[in-house]
Amino acid sequence: MLAPFMHIAHCMEMPSHDKLIELQERANTIRRDIIEMLVEAGSGHSAGPLDMADVFTAMYFHILRHDPQRPMWDERDRLILSNGHICPVRYAAMAEAGYFPKAELARLRRFGSPLQGHPERTRLPALETTSGPLGAGLAQAAGMAYVAKMDNRNWRVYCIVSDAEEQCGLHWEAVQFAAKFGLDHLTCIVDRNGIQIDGSTEDVMPLEPLRPKYDAFNWQTFECDGNDMAAIIETVARAQTVQHRPSVIIAHTLAGKGVEFMEGDYHWHGKPPTAQQAVEALRELRTLGGRIEAGT
């Protein structure tokens, strides 16, 4: 069993081999929690939460400066989840980090629960925003980063967005704002899984070439494998060195990562597994797709 997360992340460094293995194990635990949450709720989104488990694990257990015992600590880094429908992965990561008991995960989407189907800032400490309407998160994150710049603060702002949000005009207004004011406290991470509720992003409203768009708006652009823990951390470390302009990481992920029958299938964007499908998904996650024996 992994030890509880108790320390405050102060500075960025590359993880040791043992730490990397620990992070990968935590990501797998978070994926299992996501499946259990969704089947218990009987509703919710599967594909995005599963594919972003590695990014959120890297964030909460290596990258972010934060303290679960002081969720509103003034010097914390800010993590904005713009595509709020993937909130099961954030809730699972927060519970794993010790923000609230893991038993609360079974209350996903229930009336009165702090774990609503889209994050609600007033229901749960350390949620920086209420998110739902796609395209708004980067504007909120840019405003926070502007405050950090004006007040000469050291905390950073990370904004997680979906690739389909790049189809929204408000998102690109925020891109312009952040570039104009040189918001180097700000890093946007794009979940580039290539799907949305109606199909492929390139069929619904093509995004490519995506990287040159950010280049043209004077952002520092990076790309990485969003399901490779070491690559995520190394790329964020590079983004932290950027000065005088914001940075964006296009994280190429596999929708439904870790559950073979969901992987790459847009139909899993907005639905949960059935009880029987959850059994198969959990078996696959426990055995890492058959690479280890069941029960170990």
Side-chain angles (χ1 to χ4, degrees):
M1 180 178 293
L2 297 172
F5 181 77
M6 297 296 292
H7 69 281
I8 302 169
H10 290 288
C11 60
M12 187 68 165
E13 60 184 16
M14 292 305 297
S16 66
H17 174 74
D18 288 346
K19 176 65 180 296
L20 196 59
I21 295 299
E22 177 188 318
L23 290 170
Q24 292 166 343
E25 290 176 353
R26 285 194 187 276
N28 191 52
T29 296
I30 285 168
R31 285 190 170 97
R32 289 158 62 179
D33 287 342
I34 289 167
I35 294 296
E36 292 177 349
M37 294 164 67
L38 290 171
V39 75
E40 178 69 22
S43 64
H45 295 70
S46 297
L50 289 170
D51 76 50
M52 286 298 282
D54 302 296
V55 168
F56 274 86
T57 300
M59 281 289 166
Y60 276 101
F61 295 94
H62 192 78
I63 294 169
L64 290 177
R65 178 169 58 177
H66 71 120
D67 182 356
Q69 304 308 311
R70 293 182 293 162
M72 304 311 290
W73 175 42
D74 284 347
E75 296 306 310
R76 71 191 183 281
D77 290 336
R78 274 61 169 173
L79 178 61
I80 310 304
L81 175 59
S82 183
N83 51 327
H85 58 273
I86 73 164
C87 60
V89 67
R90 182 169 199 175
Y91 297 154
M94 291 176 70
E96 181 74 9
Y99 278 91
F100 54 85
K102 293 188 76 169
E104 280 291 316
L105 296 177
R107 299 180 62 208
L108 175 69
R109 289 178 164 249
R110 292 188 182 179
F111 287 116
S113 168
L115 309 184
Q116 290 298 299
H118 288 77
E120 294 187 20
R121 184 181 62 83
T122 57
R123 288 180 180 265
L124 191 64
L127 292 183
E128 306 293 348
T129 61
T130 295
S131 57
L134 295 178
L138 188 62
Q140 295 166 315
M144 294 179 186
Y146 191 44
V147 167
K149 186 178 181 70
M150 287 193 303
D151 292 349
N152 197 29
R153 305 294 290 272
N154 290 323
W155 43 266
R156 302 187 63 85
V157 183
Y158 298 92
C159 184
I160 308 294
V161 304
S162 69
D163 49 4
E165 288 187 84
E166 320 296 298
Q167 298 164 354
C168 299
L170 176 57
H171 178 85
W172 292 100
E173 292 181 46
V175 169
Q176 293 180 82
F177 176 91
K180 171 181 171 61
F181 292 104
L183 301 183
D184 50 15
H185 284 66
L186 174 64
T187 298
C188 177
I189 300 176
V190 181
D191 177 13
R192 187 66 171 113
N193 63 16
I195 68 163
Q196 55 192 102
I197 197 165
D198 290 329
S200 161
T201 57
E202 302 315 288
D203 290 336
V204 176
M205 183 61 70
L207 301 175
E208 296 298 338
L210 184 56
R211 181 170 184 165
K213 290 183 175 72
Y214 281 99
D215 290 338
F217 280 96
N218 199 32
W219 281 55
Q220 180 64 57
T221 57
F222 302 92
E223 294 186 69
C224 75
D225 182 343
N227 296 130
D228 182 322
M229 192 69 67
I232 295 163
I233 293 169
E234 189 271 337
T235 307
V236 173
R238 291 170 62 199
Q240 289 179 346
T241 68
V242 173
Q243 295 184 331
H244 310 305
R245 57 177 172 165
S247 56
V248 59
I249 299 170
I250 301 172
H252 296 276
T253 61
L254 178 59
K257 175 68 175 179
V259 179
E260 186 176 8
F261 65 82
M262 295 184 183
E263 289 183 344
D265 185 350
Y266 77 87
H267 293 95
W268 287 100
H269 169 89
K271 70 175 183 178
T274 65
Q276 185 56 45
Q277 288 168 331
V279 170
E280 171 58 23
L282 291 170
R283 183 203 64 77
E284 189 172 347
L285 289 167
R286 278 196 297 271
T287 63
L288 298 180
R291 293 194 297 276
I292 61 175
E293 294 183 8
T296 60

